Each structure stands twice: as structure tokens, then as C-alpha cells.
Amino acid sequence: MADHTDTPVKSIGRMATLLETLQQFDGAGVTELANELEVTKSTVYNHLTSLEQHGYVVHEGDDYYVGLGFLDHGEYARQRQIGYQLIRQKTREVAEETGELCQYMVEEHGLGVFLIRESGRQAVETRTRIGNRVHLNHVTAGKAFLAYAPDARVAEIVDKHGLPGKTENTITSTEALEIELQAIRDRGYAVDKDEHLKGLYAIGVPIQYESGQPLGAMSVAGPANRINDEQRAEEIAQLLLEKANELQLTIKHSQS
Amino acid sequence: MADHTDTPVKSIGRMATLLETLQQFDGAGVTELANELEVTKSTVYNHLTSLEQHGYVVHEGDDYYVGLGFLDHGEYARQRQIGYQLIRQKTREVAEETGELCQYMVEEHGLGVFLIRESGRQAVETRTRIGNRVHLNHVTAGKAFLAYAPDARVAEIVDKHGLPGKTENTITSTEALEIELQAIRDRGYAVDKDEHLKGLYAIGVPIQYESGQPLGAMSVAGPANRINDEQRAEEIAQLLLEKANELQLTIKHSQS
DNA sequence: TTTATTGTTTTGTATTACTAAACACGTGGT
DNA sequence: ACCACGTGTTTAGTAATACAAAACAATAAA
């Protein structure tokens, strides 16, 4: 799980994997972590206390947890994204008007990151959470993004992360991807029948900057039985495209 | 600005100050950071590339920025807080019913951290953002929290962070604090006329767990001219107390 | 072209973060 | 009541590493 690509400052690598497992385990003790990471207890202890002194970790009794120190940096990074406030508002509108779950995702380091998540009245519950990173070929919004990203960028991303499978429907070859992306461009939006999760149907469109480069992608997700019919899907797609277009105009002129 | 309390793993300390200044500067280059932190360029470069490989930093051209890697940990830490979902919903209700800005704050490491922030229709804009850390004696919610926290905990916090001043009205002595906290307990809620920010009026109540220990505090803030009148303030306070009470009952039985 | 000013890379060394082992503390079992 | 084993914590010694210094590359300005 932990990438052993050696980085100049190895302590940062250790810290990163420490935090990841700390989060995975939903809180853990020193020994538990030491066993998992295959390092000495004292090493883990030193890291944890250092992280704690800087607000990145809390301990309750003998268990350590990821702390709220990350929330500050995280929210800063989120609000720094171009058009964040405007897109957030639009996402909310879509969620209310469709009643479904509407999300906005951006790309960073070749992966998709969920930035905004707004639930409508009858929205489904998914496991995705703000900040989660996913492979772009695993989600509808990700494919909508790729379809409108420069070819060179797509190639870079595929080269870096490959096209790992998730379900049997996931696209795992560059040829199939190219065909899919072309289909999305022809259609104007991306559609998925349970690629990410069984029984989930999703529609995604890119949010484009001037010059057409995508900032991210917005998607609506709901239970297949509710969205799968031709009529409703097309309705939602048109709504998304309309909102995306509005955003494109406002972002262009406001630059934030 | 950088605390030089030596921690076992010093790289983490360097990383922390690096990230802080990176955020303060809203993006910066290698040389700029090296000068500010009084270390060599190569050191900064090594840290930045290491952080980047782990998704904590991005670079655009020659400028580095805090990345979205923090968002995942941050959101995790936020949702881990007891009663988060329920409190979020109630915060929204209060924002809608009052039309003002309603926030929820918890304490970590002796400081207040803004967890939730919901704006009503006529809500003021403040500089506070989710994840921001503030001294508890600087904000209304913080004082509401302190008023219902165990005396020992209050003493610990004051001992650790002191009572730094912010405006001329900020409480900076333990005696004054004790009097204020008692007044809050007598009244049932905390009130502030521009302690944190000029022209802002805020009302805060604790959100208590079973056994009365506070999980955090919820506050409503608005322009002084709108809230300052006796009638309106009392109205808001009663609404908050009612919502807090509802929360206390639901959280008790749901444990999340 | 020249001259600053970037970011990047390299090399050697002093620092430091690691392992290992001992210590303190509490708990559960017998 | 004791003992054994589980914690987290602390301490020493050493191998690893993160650092400073300086050279290098690349870009932009003069």
C-alpha cells in the first residue's frame, strides 16, 4: 500500500504512511502502528508526538487519531480552486432541482479529488467523501474530465496511474478509453451504469475554463432504477450542461 | 512565528512551518521560502518535492501551493467528531431560521477550531473559515465552551495558551474570565459585542454531551445593529438553547 | 550578449532519526 | 495476591539522512 518511491526527505514519507494507516484504522495505538508499518515502537512514538505538537494528531487515552490540523490546510486548498464558490453554489442548485446527489471533482496529480458534495431531497448515500481521491477512469465525472482534457495530459495520467480495474465494466485499455472519451465528446456528457458502484447511475459534465480546458467535472448520481430511463437521464444531462455553461461564463469574468 | 519547541522528529517541525508559510504566502517559490525560513534552497526544495510526491503540495509553474492531500485527512477528522452529522443539520436549521451566520466550533489542543459554518439569507461575511484555529477567549463560542468545561480543563488551557488580547474588550485576566464564565452560566448563553471583530454581535451556547461535558459550541453572528436589540438577541438565544437541547438528546442515543 | 534570478542537482558531513533494550504502568488471568 | 503480558514511554548508540555549500541549468531582463 505504501509507495516506496524514495523521496528526498524520507521522514515525510514515513509520516505520510503513518497518517494513512492511522486514518484507515480509525485511530490506533503505538504498538499496533509499529507492527503494521514494520518499524520500532519508539519511531512511531516519536512521529506521533511530533505530529501532535504541531496539531496534526490527537490522542485520546492511548489511541492516536488524525487531528483537525489538516482541516485548515484542506479548506484552504479547497477554496483556492478556481471558481470554487460559484461552483459550490451551482452544485447546490443542481442537487435541489434534481433531488439527487451532485458532486464536483477536480484533478490533482492525475487523480480525481471530490471537492464538493451536495445532497438533494432523495439523494443516495455513497461511500465517497469530500477529499477522497479516486482513479479518473473509475468515476463518471473523471471520464467527463478526461474527455475534455488535452490529449497529452490524458496520456501523462494514464502513464502515471495506468487504468486499474474496479468492476468488470471499468475501462482498462487505452483503446477502449479513447473510444469512450470520443463518445462522451460526441454526446456532450458522460454516462455510467454502475461502474463505480453497483446499482448507481451517474451523469457527468466538465466545467470548462476559457479556452476549453476543464477545471473539473460535475456529476449527478442516483439509483439506476430512478435515473436509468431515457427521459430522466436526458433531462438531468441538459440541466448539467446548462449549469456548466452558466459557470463557464461567470468564472471567465470573475476569476475566482 | 515558528515555535522552536524541539520535537523528537525535527523534519516534521520544519515541514509544519513550511506548510504554514506556504499557506500564508498563498503560494511561493523555493527561494522565497528559503529566505523566509532561513534555510538553504536545497532543503526547501527537498521538502517540497517530497511533500508533492505524497500529494500534500502542488506546483504550478515555479510556484508551490498547499495541495488537496490535506482535504482527505481534514474531512476525515471533521466527520470523526462526535455528533457531526446531527450538529451540521441543526446548524443549517439555525442559519435558515435566523437568516444569520451560524457556526459550530470544537476545542482541540486548547484552541477553538471552526468545524461547521452555515450562512442564512442575510448572513454577514467574516474572515473565519472552516478549520481556522482561534483562542477560545477571542470568540463567543469559545467562551460558551469554557463556561461549561471542567475547571481543571479551563486551567490547563489558560496555562498552555494564556489569555492573549485581541481587541480592547478581550478578557485577558483569569479573574475577569472567571467572572465572565460565571455570568454565562447564570445567563445560559454567551454574548459578545464585537470582541472578535468590530461591529459584530454574537451569541453562543455549548453543545453538551451526556454528563454535561461540552462537545463544542454553536454560535450565531450578525451585524450589531441587527442583533443588538434586546428582543432579537433573546429570541436567538432561546432558539439556540432549544436546538442545543434537542441535540443533546439525539446525540446521547445515537452515538455519532 | 550579458547579467541577474530563478529552480535543480551534486557532494560531503554533521545531525538526526532510527533500532534495540530497558523501564514504568496497568490489566487480566489463574 | 501474584504473575505474566500488554501497553506507552524513555534512554543510549549508531547508521542513515537531511542539511549546507556550491556548482549547474534555465529563463528573463537589460
Side-chain angles (χ1 to χ4, degrees):
Chain A
M1 172 115 285
D3 276 10
H4 260 216
T5 55
D6 46 34
T7 118
V9 182
K10 309 210 173 173
S11 296
I12 289 178
R14 296 183 212 280
M15 185 206 66
T17 62
L18 179 67
L19 288 166
E20 269 175 45
T21 64
L22 197 58
Q23 182 167 325
Q24 262 183 20
F25 283 30
D26 201 41
V30 174
T31 308
E32 199 177 353
L33 289 167
N35 290 338
E36 178 69 19
L37 303 179
E38 293 176 349
V39 289
T40 324
K41 286 193 296 176
S42 57
T43 299
V44 172
Y45 180 73
N46 283 336
H47 275 257
L48 285 174
T49 52
S50 300
L51 285 168
E52 182 167 34
Q53 281 184 43
H54 290 280
Y56 292 124
V57 151
V58 229
H59 77 172
E60 298 170 7
D62 279 345
D63 278 337
Y64 288 79
Y65 295 89
V66 172
L68 291 170
F70 288 98
L71 197 57
D72 190 56
H73 294 311
E75 266 296 309
Y76 163 78
R78 178 154 81 144
Q79 301 205 19
R80 200 180 73 74
Q81 304 297 313
I82 298 173
Y84 171 73
Q85 297 290 355
L86 295 168
I87 296 171
R88 184 188 178 100
Q89 198 178 320
K90 275 281 183 287
T91 309
R92 172 141 215 89
E93 286 174 22
V94 173
E96 280 171 4
E97 292 176 30
T98 60
E100 307 287 357
L101 174 66
C102 183
Q103 291 171 301
Y104 177 67
M105 146 181 300
V106 297
E107 176 264 339
E108 191 176 275
H109 295 302
L111 295 175
V113 182
F114 285 102
L115 264 202
I116 302 171
R117 177 191 164 85
E118 298 282 347
S119 295
R121 196 137 299 277
Q122 43 176 208
V124 290
E125 288 294 323
T126 69
R127 212 154 293 106
T128 54
R129 207 183 44 210
I130 286 169
N132 280 164
R133 283 186 282 233
V134 294
H135 286 280
L136 291 169
N137 63 321
H138 284 176
V139 294
T140 316
K143 285 188 279 192
F145 178 88
L146 288 174
Y148 291 85
D151 291 355
R153 184 81 192 113
V154 176
E156 267 179 27
I157 292 171
V158 172
D159 185 57
K160 185 172 185 183
H161 297 285
L163 294 169
K166 180 131 192 166
T167 73
E168 56 276 7
N169 293 339
T170 310
I171 288 171
T172 53
S173 76
T174 41
E175 296 78 19
L177 181 67
E178 195 39 65
I179 292 170
E180 170 79 354
L181 297 188
Q182 186 55 51
I184 293 171
R185 283 189 290 264
D186 291 342
R187 202 189 301 118
Y189 55 91
V191 180
D192 262 330
K193 211 175 301 182
D194 57 75
E195 290 234 347
H196 184 54
L197 199 72
K198 282 282 174 198
L200 207 68
Y201 193 91
I203 298 167
V205 302
I207 305 298
Q208 291 169 288
Y209 203 39
E210 45 189 329
S211 79
Q213 66 167 314
L215 292 172
M218 190 180 286
S219 67
V220 167
N225 61 20
R226 203 191 291 149
I227 300 191
N228 204 353
D229 92 271
E230 201 69 24
Q231 178 82 6
R232 183 90 199 288
E234 186 60 26
E235 214 173 278
I236 290 175
Q238 290 310 319
L239 177 67
L240 277 171
L241 286 169
E242 185 187 319
K243 298 288 185 181
N245 193 40
E246 287 169 27
L247 277 171
Q248 195 167 350
L249 295 173
T250 44
I251 290 172
K252 192 178 195 166
H253 298 299
S254 73
Q255 181 62 303
S256 96
Chain B
M1 174 111 283
D3 273 10
H4 261 216
T5 55
D6 45 34
T7 120
V9 183
K10 309 209 172 172
S11 296
I12 289 178
R14 297 184 211 278
M15 185 207 64
T17 63
L18 178 67
L19 287 166
E20 270 175 44
T21 64
L22 197 57
Q23 184 166 326
Q24 264 183 18
F25 283 32
D26 200 43
V30 175
T31 309
E32 197 177 356
L33 289 167
N35 290 339
E36 178 68 18
L37 303 178
E38 292 176 349
V39 290
T40 321
K41 287 194 295 175
S42 59
T43 300
V44 172
Y45 180 73
N46 283 336
H47 275 257
L48 286 175
T49 51
S50 300
L51 285 168
E52 182 167 34
Q53 279 184 43
H54 290 280
Y56 292 125
V57 151
V58 229
H59 79 169
E60 300 169 5
D62 280 345
D63 277 337
Y64 288 81
Y65 295 88
V66 172
L68 291 170
F70 288 98
L71 196 56
D72 189 57
H73 294 312
E75 266 296 309
Y76 163 79
R78 177 155 81 146
Q79 300 205 20
R80 202 182 70 76
Q81 305 296 313
I82 298 172
Y84 170 73
Q85 297 290 354
L86 295 167
I87 295 171
R88 184 187 178 103
Q89 198 177 321
K90 276 277 186 288
T91 309
R92 169 140 218 90
E93 287 174 23
V94 173
E96 278 171 5
E97 292 176 30
T98 62
E100 308 285 357
L101 174 68
C102 183
Q103 291 170 300
Y104 177 66
M105 149 182 297
V106 298
E107 176 263 338
E108 191 176 275
H109 295 300
L111 295 175
V113 182
F114 286 101
L115 264 203
I116 302 170
R117 175 190 166 85
E118 297 281 348
S119 294
R121 196 135 298 276
Q122 44 176 210
V124 290
E125 286 295 322
T126 69
R127 211 154 293 106
T128 54
R129 205 185 45 210
I130 286 169
N132 280 163
R133 283 187 281 236
V134 293
H135 286 279
L136 291 168
N137 64 321
H138 285 176
V139 294
T140 317
K143 286 189 279 191
F145 178 88
L146 288 173
Y148 291 85
D151 292 356
R153 184 79 194 116
V154 176
E156 266 179 28
I157 291 171
V158 172
D159 185 58
K160 184 172 184 183
H161 295 286
L163 293 168
K166 178 130 192 168
T167 72
E168 57 275 8
N169 293 339
T170 311
I171 288 171
T172 55
S173 77
T174 40
E175 297 79 18
L177 181 67
E178 197 39 65
I179 292 171
E180 171 78 351
L181 296 187
Q182 187 55 51
I184 293 170
R185 282 188 290 264
D186 292 342
R187 204 189 299 120
Y189 56 90
V191 180
D192 263 331
K193 210 176 303 184
D194 56 74
E195 290 232 345
H196 184 53
L197 198 72
K198 282 283 176 197
L200 206 69
Y201 193 91
I203 298 168
V205 302
I207 304 298
Q208 291 169 288
Y209 204 39
E210 43 190 332
S211 81
Q213 66 165 316
L215 292 174
M218 189 180 285
S219 66
V220 167
N225 61 20
R226 204 191 292 150
I227 300 191
N228 204 354
D229 91 270
E230 200 70 23
Q231 178 79 8
R232 182 90 199 289
E234 186 61 24
E235 215 172 277
I236 290 174
Q238 289 310 318
L239 177 68
L240 277 172
L241 287 169
E242 186 187 318
K243 298 288 186 182
N245 193 41
E246 287 169 25
L247 277 171
Q248 193 166 352
L249 295 172
T250 45
I251 290 172
K252 192 178 197 167
H253 298 298
S254 74
Q255 180 63 307
S256 95

